[in-house]
Amino acid sequence: MRMFQPFFGGSPDDCLCWLRAYTEAGARQLVPRIGSLDAERQLRLLTDEVLPGLRV
C-alpha cells in the first residue's frame, strides 16, 4: 500500500517537512486522507499548522 498511497504520522512540523519534499519535487496537488479516530482535531492541525507552511 505504501507504494501507491504513502502515509505519515508525526508532529505537524514533521508532517510539513514530509509534504514539502513532495512539493519541492514538483507536486502541485496533494490529497490528504486523515486516518484518525479524532479526525476533526487532525483536520484542524492540518489546516492551521501544516498547510500554511506549504504555501508559496
Side-chain angles (χ1 to χ4, degrees):
M1 183 170 171
R2 183 174 278 186
M3 292 175 59
F4 300 104
Q5 295 181 359
F7 54 91
F8 179 84
S11 72
D13 286 336
D14 292 339
C15 185
L16 176 59
C17 290
W18 184 72
L19 291 173
R20 194 174 283 146
Y22 285 95
T23 60
E24 288 174 354
R28 295 291 173 241
Q29 296 179 351
L30 301 172
V31 181
R33 295 178 67 185
I34 296 172
S36 170
L37 295 176
D38 191 358
E40 186 176 326
R41 178 178 179 271
Q42 296 302 317
L43 179 60
R44 203 171 319 117
L45 286 170
L46 180 67
T47 58
D48 293 347
E49 298 187 32
V50 178
L51 294 181
L54 291 176
R55 293 196 175 106
V56 181

